[in-house]
């Protein structure tokens, strides 16, 4: 049995540029559409000036969750917190879930590690453009823009057609954004997570433990599902966001200036601007323009103790966090009993 905390590293082959995996990234000063290029964009991503390091589409939850709770993944970023649709051979996506983590290399190959009791770390052969870790399942989008999922039995009956973005939740549910911006959700529906507002079109989305949120094409956030006991569903109606990520009982996003905006039972965020944000169950990590990572919130396993390094991607899991360094190495820290913080 592995220790309860640890720091693991693995090299990502042929790292060309990084995009938020199960985490949400802005383009260092621009809004990106799901699956789109950096810059101000709607669903599908109108062209714009790419951010530093060529960071593209918005990611969503890299958070993590489980039977007892869920992460954010949680997107803003990479659930999270993985990635902004559109993938391709030049992007790397990182995602962290409950007890497993995954990374997609520049070649489109996905590698996962950690718990695989339901096969959530056993990746089907193929070439992918993004990946997202949930509780006990994993989903990805292949080069044909088709959703592929593996792990728990809630991966059956997948929707057909093309998707730009997919985000796994932590109550065995998943949501995605189609190429026209339409939102579709599937899986378990105990708390209304599968019922977004009618005719919703979005440019970013994330799925938490019992609630889901998206950013509409006008930049305003909207949430559904869950009990809303902590206000996690009560999105502000007076702030426009570039990215969104969900924790266990809270939601956070990045506004147009890169400041962190949260609602629900969220840990108090630091001041200043970020270019990427990813929520775990009770912690959040953000990446600044200088590529340093800062984490805050609950820290019983060291999940907020980010190494002093430069990162091009970060993804918060349930009680652990992983990041891709500028040198192309994956480093993880926090809870590691199932090897989720020890890349192969």
């Amino acid at each position: 049995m592995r220790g309860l905390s640890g720091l693991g590293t693995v090299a990502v082959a042929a790292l060309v540029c990084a995009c938020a995996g199960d985490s949400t990234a802005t383009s260092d000063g621009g809004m990106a559409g799901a699956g789109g290029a950096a810059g101000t964009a709607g669903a599908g991503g109108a062209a714009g000036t790419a951010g530093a390091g060529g960071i593209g589409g918005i990611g969503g939850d890299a958070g993590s969750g489980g039977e007892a709770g869920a992460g954010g993944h949680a997107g803003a970023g990479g659930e999270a917190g993985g990635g902004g649709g559109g993938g391709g051979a030049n992007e790397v996506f990182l995602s962290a879930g409950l007890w497993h983590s995954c990374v997609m290399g520049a070649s489109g190959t996905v590698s996962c590690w950690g718990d695989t009791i339901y096969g959530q770390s056993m990746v089907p052969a193929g070439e992918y453009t993004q990946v997202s870790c949930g509780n006990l399942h994993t989903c990805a989008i292949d080069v044909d823009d088709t959703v592929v999922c593996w792990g728990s039995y809630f991966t059956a009956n997948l929707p057909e057609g093309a998707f730009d973005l997919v985000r796994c939740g932590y109550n065995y549910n998943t949501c995605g954004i189609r190429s026209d911006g339409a939102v579709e959700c599937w899986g378990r529906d105990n708390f209304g997570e599968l019922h977004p507002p009618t005719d919703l079109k979005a440019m970013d989305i994330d799925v938490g433990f019992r609630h889901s949120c998206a950013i509409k094409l006008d930049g305003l956030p909207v949430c559904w599902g869950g009990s809303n006991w902590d206000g996690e569903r009560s999105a502000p109606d007076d702030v426009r966001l570039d990215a969104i990520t969900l924790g266990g009982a809270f939601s956070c996003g990045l506004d147009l200036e890169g400041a962190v905006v949260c609602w629900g039972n969220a840990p108090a965020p630091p001041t200043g601007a970020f270019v990427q944000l990813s929520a775990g169950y009770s912690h959040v990590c953000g990446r600044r323009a200088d590529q340093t990572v800062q984490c805050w919130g609950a820290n019983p396993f060291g999940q907020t103790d980010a190494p002093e390094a430069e990162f091009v991607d970060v993804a918060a899991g349930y009680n652990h966090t992983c990041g891709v360094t500028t040198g192309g190495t994956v480093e993880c820290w926090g809870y590691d009993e199932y090897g989720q913080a020890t890349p192969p």
Side-chain angles (χ1 to χ4, degrees):
M1 179 176 293
R2 300 176 187 271
L4 296 184
S5 62
L7 176 65
T9 63
V10 64
V12 179
L15 178 62
V16 178
C17 73
C19 230
D22 231 351
S23 52
T24 290
T26 67
S27 53
D28 292 338
M31 183 184 302
T40 300
T49 301
I55 296 172
I58 296 178
D61 115 79
S64 106
E67 298 271 359
H73 201 27
E79 273 267 26
N90 291 330
E91 294 181 342
V92 171
F93 287 83
L94 181 66
S95 183
L98 174 63
W99 295 327
H100 75 297
S101 308
C102 295
V103 66
M104 187 203 78
S107 65
T109 300
V110 171
S111 175
C112 299
W113 59 94
D115 183 56
T116 192
I117 186 172
Y118 288 100
Q120 66 266 40
S121 296
M122 299 176 65
V123 184
E127 185 177 346
Y128 301 96
T129 61
Q130 60 179 271
V131 63
S132 179
C133 297
N135 181 354
L136 300 174
H137 73 295
T138 307
C139 291
I141 295 179
D142 67 16
V143 292
D144 296 322
D145 297 328
T146 301
V147 172
V148 179
C149 298
W150 57 94
S152 74
Y153 57 91
F154 285 95
T155 59
N157 301 316
L158 300 179
E160 299 179 351
F163 282 82
D164 282 349
L165 185 64
V166 66
R167 289 290 178 267
C168 290
Y170 300 93
N171 194 37
Y172 306 100
N173 57 322
T174 306
C175 289
I177 299 178
R178 292 189 176 275
S179 56
D180 64 353
V183 171
E184 186 168 349
C185 301
W186 60 94
R188 179 181 281 179
D189 189 29
N190 288 353
F191 306 98
E193 309 95 313
L194 305 190
H195 302 283
T198 303
D199 298 326
L200 173 64
K201 290 196 173 183
M203 59 184 182
D204 193 19
I205 196 167
D206 200 13
V207 186
F209 179 38
R210 295 179 176 177
H211 74 296
S212 305
C213 296
I215 301 177
K216 297 185 294 183
L217 300 187
D218 62 4
L220 294 176
V222 60
C223 301
W224 62 93
S227 63
N228 206 36
W229 289 336
D230 292 294
E232 67 274 13
R233 200 176 61 204
S234 300
D237 59 6
D238 59 351
V239 60
R240 284 176 166 78
L241 301 179
D242 267 353
I244 198 162
T245 183
L246 306 189
F250 66 91
S251 310
C252 292
L254 294 178
D255 71 12
L256 304 187
E257 303 299 325
V260 179
V261 178
C262 297
W263 56 97
N265 188 23
T271 58
F274 290 85
V275 297
Q276 184 185 357
L277 198 65
S278 181
Y281 180 66
S282 55
H283 77 291
V284 184
C285 292
R287 184 171 60 87
R288 297 190 185 271
D290 64 0
Q291 298 182 322
T292 59
V293 166
Q294 182 176 359
C295 302
W296 59 94
N299 192 38
F301 303 104
Q303 63 263 43
T304 67
D305 296 336
E308 293 184 1
E310 293 183 349
F311 291 89
V312 295
D313 196 9
V314 64
Y318 185 73
N319 280 325
H320 74 291
T321 309
C322 293
V324 179
T325 70
T326 54
T329 297
V330 176
E331 295 193 13
C332 299
W333 54 95
Y335 190 67
D336 194 35
E337 184 168 357
Y338 298 93
Q340 65 267 43
T342 303

